Amino acid sequence: MRRAILAAAALAGGCASLIFAQNSETPAGQQPISVKRQAPAAAKKGDAAAVPTALQTYDFGAQLQALQNVDGSPGAPPGAGATPGADGKVPKDFRPKTDVPLSPTAVEAVRMSETWRGSEVTPAAGADGRVMYAFGAGLPVLVCAPLRVCIIELQAGEKIVGEPQIGDAIRWNVSPGMYGDGDEATQMIVLKPQEAGLDTNLLISTDRRAYYVRLVSKPQEYVARVAFRYPEEENSQKWKQHLAEQKIQERETKRQAEVIPALVTVEKLNFGYKVTGGDEHLRPERVFDDGAKTYIQMKPEMQNREAPVLVVLGADGKGEMTNYRVRERTYIVDRLFDRAQLVLGSGKKAQKVQIVREPKG
């Protein structure tokens, strides 16, 4: 290579003859070989003898190309970077391949994703300075600023699964946070950009859902606190609450219909009943009526014993069909009667309690 450079220098100076130098590292005891420029001999036009044969056949172009890039920058091997054309040069309009063609399905998928990312999502004001986004309605945007802290709040009780993934992990600082405790603890993501003019995205995976958020940094403007509303979950919760309240109301209505009405005054109650027969466990504590229904209240121990059968007796002393029910150890008869019996067992061993309504004096 060094000899080729010396030969090129001699040719450019119009040397008539050239003495090739040996390597600069001369063995000890030998004198270095020197090169001396001589004036060119006069030669006629077209005289090939004026230039040495070795120089006439030497490929100086190939040697010079070996010392430089195809784009003219020295120090790199030929062909580095782009592929040269037939003349050894890279076309000026050459662009490396950085894209791939998409199928119609892929194009449609990209279009749908762009529609979602570009949809208008109107934020709403929340408590304590929160900016509220409806989850799933579109791509939420969090605007931050250098030297300021931005917070993304999750749903109370929601837990982060794994480390959040951010598109620009070099110029954005991402750290966890939390407030509250127990089932109501609220997880947070704390974000700080290192400079303005950044635009990236963030993925947060939790035990309930995945959040996809766009992050933008501005010199001064920023949003301090972002939280989310969950419309589908809120609607479901409202229906559950409504159904639960409806069941409670139905139970209360049924209870009020089955027990003594609270508005029945003492003056309307008639306790003029005589109870005879049977043992102390079978006899009721009290019998009374409100002018429409008759109530036979048994002792608390009845809950652990067999309940007797109530038989209403007619004027002829025979049993009559009647409607009654037992609620909270109380027989509720849907009529008034003069005589009735509580019967436990059958045949001669049956125990009977006589209940007689006494006439008012």
Side-chain angles (χ1 to χ4, degrees):
M1 186 67 67
R2 184 175 301 224
R3 293 180 178 179
I5 296 174
L6 291 175
L11 181 61
C15 296
S17 62
L18 177 66
I19 301 176
F20 291 96
Q22 295 180 351
N23 194 301
S24 59
E25 297 180 359
T26 306
Q30 295 184 9
Q31 296 296 325
I33 300 175
S34 62
V35 178
K36 183 178 180 182
R37 182 175 182 275
Q38 296 182 1
K44 298 181 180 179
K45 184 176 180 180
D47 188 0
V51 180
T53 304
L55 297 181
Q56 294 180 18
T57 60
Y58 194 82
D59 189 359
F60 291 102
Q63 292 297 328
L64 291 176
Q65 186 176 3
L67 299 176
Q68 63 183 4
N69 284 328
V70 293
D71 58 355
S73 59
T83 303
D87 57 354
K89 297 181 180 180
V90 178
K92 294 182 179 180
D93 58 349
F94 173 78
R95 295 292 182 272
K97 185 177 181 181
T98 59
D99 201 359
V100 294
L102 297 179
S103 66
T105 301
V107 171
E108 181 63 17
V110 171
R111 186 194 63 79
M112 295 175 65
S113 180
E114 289 177 346
T115 301
W116 178 79
R117 296 197 308 268
S119 60
E120 294 292 335
V121 185
T122 304
D128 301 328
R130 294 180 179 90
V131 174
M132 307 295 295
Y133 281 103
F135 180 81
L139 179 63
V141 180
L142 177 58
V143 182
C144 298
L147 305 180
R148 297 291 186 269
V149 172
C150 295
I151 299 173
I152 298 177
E153 290 188 15
L154 307 183
Q155 191 178 29
E158 191 172 13
K159 296 179 176 59
I160 298 175
V161 180
E163 181 179 355
Q165 302 296 317
I166 187 169
D168 185 354
I170 302 299
R171 295 177 293 179
W172 286 83
N173 297 330
V174 184
S175 57
M178 184 180 69
Y179 67 88
D181 54 8
D183 294 336
E184 295 301 318
T186 301
Q187 301 276 346
M188 299 186 301
I189 301 296
V190 182
L191 297 158
K192 291 185 293 184
Q194 297 184 7
E195 59 185 76
L198 305 179
D199 189 350
T200 187
N201 50 19
L202 175 70
L203 174 64
I204 307 171
S205 301
T206 74
D207 58 348
R208 298 179 184 176
R209 55 184 66 87
Y211 297 83
Y212 193 83
V213 182
R214 180 185 175 189
L215 303 179
V216 178
S217 66
K218 299 283 287 183
Q220 297 295 333
E221 300 93 340
Y222 71 100
V223 177
R225 204 170 179 182
V226 164
F228 295 87
R229 291 176 47 251
Y230 308 92
E232 293 184 1
E233 187 171 321
E234 290 173 1
N235 292 336
S236 177
Q237 190 65 28
K238 288 179 180 178
W239 276 107
K240 289 180 181 178
Q241 183 177 356
H242 172 73
L243 294 176
E245 292 176 352
Q246 188 175 21
K247 289 182 179 179
I248 293 174
Q249 184 64 34
E250 290 175 354
R251 287 197 297 266
E252 182 63 19
T253 302
K254 185 177 181 181
R255 187 188 69 82
Q256 292 179 0
E258 292 175 348
V259 300
I260 303 173
L263 298 179
V264 175
T265 62
V266 176
E267 289 80 5
K268 291 184 178 181
L269 296 180
N270 174 34
F271 290 89
Y273 287 84
K274 183 179 180 180
V275 179
T276 59
D279 58 23
E280 59 180 2
H281 301 295
L282 188 60
R283 286 193 296 269
E285 283 187 335
R286 62 184 60 87
V287 180
F288 57 93
D289 67 73
D290 60 4
K293 297 180 181 180
T294 305
Y295 303 90
I296 305 172
Q297 191 173 16
M298 306 299 289
K299 295 179 180 179
E301 59 193 60
M302 174 191 167
Q303 297 179 355
N304 301 321
R305 293 176 176 270
E306 183 180 358
V309 177
L310 176 66
V311 178
V312 175
L313 303 177
D316 57 359
K318 295 182 180 180
E320 298 179 352
M321 295 294 296
T322 187
N323 293 326
Y324 75 91
R325 55 199 175 279
V326 181
R327 292 290 184 273
E328 299 182 2
R329 65 187 178 87
T330 299
Y331 287 73
I332 304 174
V333 186
D334 295 330
R335 54 169 285 192
L336 301 179
F337 59 80
D338 292 328
R339 296 172 58 197
Q341 288 182 340
L342 291 174
V343 182
L344 180 62
S346 61
K348 295 181 179 180
K349 295 183 179 181
Q351 299 184 52
K352 298 181 180 180
V353 175
Q354 304 292 329
I355 302 174
V356 179
R357 187 173 188 262
E358 297 178 341
K360 294 182 179 180

